[in-house]
Structures are given as C-alpha cells and as structure tokens.
Amino acid sequence: MNDEKGLIFDIQGFSVHDGPGSRTTVFLSGCPLQCRWCANPEGWKVKQRLMYSRQKCRADQEGCRRCIDACSRKAIGKCDEGIAIDRTFCESCEDFRCAQSCFQEALRLSGRWYHPEELMKILARDRNYWTGGGVTFSGGEPLMQKTFILEVLKRCRAAGIHTAVETTAFVEPAFFLEAMSYIDFAFIDIKHMDETMHRAETGVSNQLILSNIKALAQSQWRGRFILRIPVIKGYNDSKDNIQKAIDFMEETRLQEINLLPFHRMGDSKWSQLGERYDYRDAEVPSDEELQEMQKLFSQRGLSCYIAEDVNY
C-alpha cells in the first residue's frame, strides 16, 4: 500500500456541474489562496479542523457535556447557546476526542485521510453510475498535496478514468505542467487581472497563475480548459477588469470562459469554524449584470458561459 495519504474534506457523487457528464467530485484540503468570499474555508489547511454546529448541539436542551468531559485541554465549556470553544487549543490538538464523543455530530472534523488505494476503490464503485463522466478534483487547491494527487492521477490514467480539475493554478510551474499531463479537462480561476487587487482579497499575487495559464496554453497538452471568473460585485465585475481578461484571452488564444456568480452558501461553514465571514452581506450579481458581462466577451468572438450553463 502506498504510504502517502491525502486529506480529503468531501466526496460528492452524481455531480453534474464540475465537468462533462455525471461525475464524482473529490475535495482536497489545502490552498495557497485565502479568498475572503471562499465557500469552502474548511479546505484552506492540510489539517483536520474542528467544526461546530450549534443547531445540532444538545448541551443547552439536554444538558449533554460529553465533549466537555472528553477534551483533555479543557478548551470547551458551557454557555447559554450550547458550548464555547477556545480554538487556540484546537490548532495543536491531535486526538480531537471531543468530536469522537459527540453522538449528534454537532462537533466534527473537516476531513479524513485517505490512501490512494482507498480513493481508487470509491472511484471504481462510482464509475458504474457515471454517464459520460469521471472524477473531478476540487478543493481547496487540489494540486497542493503534490505526491498524493499525482499518484491518484496516474492511477486514474491507468484505469481509463476521465479526470477533471478545478484549480487556482497557483502551483510550482514544473509540477503544474506535470500534473496537467494526466488531466483531461480543467476549470482555471482568474480572480482578478490586477495584481494589487488580486493580492488584497486572496492574499497572493496573480503573476504565477497567469504565467502557468500561458505556459499551459502554449504547451502540447491535449486537454480542454475553461477559464473561470468568480464574479464578486464591487471587486472584479468592472468593465475594465473584464476588458483585461478579454485581452489576456486573446493574447493566449484562449476561447472559453465561465462566469461563476458569487453565492453565500459558505456562510455556515465559516460560523462552524468559529470565524467571521466578511462576505455575509455581499450582494449576488443579477442575471442582467452577468449577461452584460457575457456580451463583452461574445462581442470579441469568445465563448462565455454563465453559472452552470457550460457547453461540455
């Protein structure tokens, strides 16, 4: 058995919006970006994180204190709304007895470690239900756990499994091209074309991302990739930013882009991690606004898809 394990925080079957056909989407932990609007904050670190759902907790209704008694660090206590957690202790915790003791799953860990063999067994089972599909690796940044993802990609290629990836492309260039050689389809995000604006909301420069996209476009890779903009009102939806994205596509001879409208579905996850979601009150772009953006791309002969309406 391969000793290199990967931390996966979710596996979703019957996915129909993460690549061609009906697929299994595997969400890997770890991401070099920290987008403030992120819908999967539990996937930022290659580390299991404690998540707390107050709605499921029975501490206030039934006087349950299993997690309080189980925590050897005394980081959990009672409060009027259930339990209070001092998360400074959780960062160095390795056993998470509190989550193991919770019968209601009010406390749970954000991920599980898998050997490549274990994941391949799941994919072998799921492929019986795929319709023109395969597996999509998402995250987090799925290419961050390098040894694990490369091993799994090689096994998928050997098994004849169609592979897709949703990536930030913020990866060391040589490894990026090596990993992509085992991938058939990709969504690659461009959060903002301006480096300063990109760094302000994601924590990193966009130069490596744009460089990797150019390198892939100029390589002999035979797969298909679609650029994607997560549309955030007041951040990257300006006509100037869209025009720069169009210029970049023409420069690199890319033809397809997907406008993915912001949503607030990650709000509860931020709360479960004990963190504030800065985009809780952010506006969702309207259909009309997205269509106006789409027109700018279409007028230049580029294929622009809105939300899940992607031409696979």
Side-chain angles (χ1 to χ4, degrees):
M1 175 179 284
N2 189 298
D3 289 333
E4 184 67 35
K5 294 187 291 185
L7 184 60
I8 294 170
F9 67 88
D10 199 5
I11 299 176
Q12 296 179 359
F14 300 103
S15 296
V16 294
H17 301 307
D18 300 324
S22 174
R23 315 180 64 82
T24 297
T25 302
V26 179
F27 295 83
L28 282 84
S29 296
C31 188
L33 278 65
Q34 296 190 349
C35 303
R36 293 175 59 228
W37 62 83
C38 183
N40 294 321
E42 76 275 34
W44 280 12
K45 301 179 181 180
V46 188
K47 183 183 186 303
Q48 291 176 304
R49 303 181 69 189
L50 186 66
M51 304 184 74
Y52 170 59
S53 173
R54 189 172 69 84
Q55 290 76 13
K56 295 181 179 181
C57 186
R58 295 292 177 266
D60 57 338
Q61 300 176 15
E62 301 173 8
C64 176
R65 51 177 296 122
R66 292 190 188 94
C67 62
I68 298 173
D69 295 336
C71 180
S72 59
R73 298 168 181 262
K74 308 300 180 186
I76 305 176
K78 280 274 287 158
C79 70
D80 293 339
E81 297 181 343
I83 61 172
I85 305 171
D86 185 343
R87 291 181 179 269
T88 58
F89 291 95
C90 300
E91 285 300 311
S92 58
C93 184
E94 296 182 354
D95 56 41
F96 290 105
R97 294 178 184 174
C98 58
Q100 297 173 23
S101 71
C102 182
F103 297 163
Q104 306 298 327
E105 294 188 346
L107 284 175
R108 65 180 181 87
L109 295 183
S110 62
R112 182 193 146 191
W113 292 94
Y114 288 80
H115 286 284
E117 290 85 353
E118 294 177 277
L119 181 56
M120 293 306 298
K121 287 181 181 178
I122 294 173
L123 300 182
R125 175 202 67 194
D126 286 6
R127 73 184 305 175
N128 295 315
Y129 306 99
W130 295 335
T131 304
V135 57
T136 297
F137 297 100
S138 188
E141 168 49 62
L143 302 183
M144 190 168 173
Q145 298 185 59
K146 294 181 180 180
T147 305
F148 177 78
I149 189 63
L150 192 58
E151 175 67 21
V152 172
L153 287 171
K154 289 178 178 178
R155 290 173 182 241
C156 287
R157 176 61 58 85
I161 293 175
H162 182 277
T163 54
V165 67
E166 295 177 322
T167 179
T168 66
F170 194 90
V171 184
E172 188 272 322
F175 178 77
F176 179 69
L177 292 178
E178 180 184 11
M180 291 302 296
S181 70
Y182 294 97
I183 291 169
D184 302 302
F185 179 93
F187 282 115
I188 303 181
D189 283 8
I190 48 174
K191 317 289 189 183
H192 205 292
M193 296 305 299
D194 180 80
E195 182 178 9
T196 300
M197 293 292 289
H198 192 280
R199 190 186 296 276
E201 294 297 281
T202 71
V204 303
S205 165
N206 64 356
Q207 295 306 296
L208 177 60
I209 294 168
L210 299 179
S211 175
N212 276 336
I213 292 172
K214 286 182 182 179
L216 184 63
Q218 295 168 0
S219 72
Q220 300 301 310
W221 184 61
R222 296 181 178 275
R224 176 187 177 193
F225 75 93
I226 299 175
L227 293 182
R228 186 162 61 182
I229 298 178
V231 181
I232 314 295
K233 286 196 67 170
Y235 172 61
N236 61 4
D237 62 337
S238 70
K239 188 172 182 179
D240 178 67
N241 187 60
I242 297 304
Q243 184 59 57
K244 288 177 180 177
I246 291 171
D247 293 342
F248 177 74
M249 291 181 70
E250 292 183 338
E251 176 190 348
T252 50
R253 298 184 179 180
L254 298 175
Q255 291 294 315
E256 297 180 285
I257 191 162
N258 180 207
L259 303 178
L260 197 62
F262 163 77
H263 59 73
R264 292 186 289 266
M265 289 189 287
D267 188 6
S268 65
K269 293 183 178 182
W270 286 81
S271 296
Q272 290 177 54
L273 290 168
E275 298 179 8
R276 172 182 169 79
Y277 186 35
D278 292 335
Y279 276 72
R280 174 173 294 177
D281 300 319
E283 285 187 64
V284 176
S286 68
D287 291 342
E288 292 75 19
E289 289 169 323
L290 292 168
Q291 289 164 7
E292 285 301 312
M293 295 171 67
Q294 184 183 45
K295 285 180 183 178
L296 296 175
F297 289 99
S298 300
Q299 288 167 359
R300 300 288 283 270
L302 302 173
S303 298
C304 180
Y305 316 114
I306 295 177
E308 291 84 18
D309 189 22
V310 178
N311 180 16
Y312 292 116

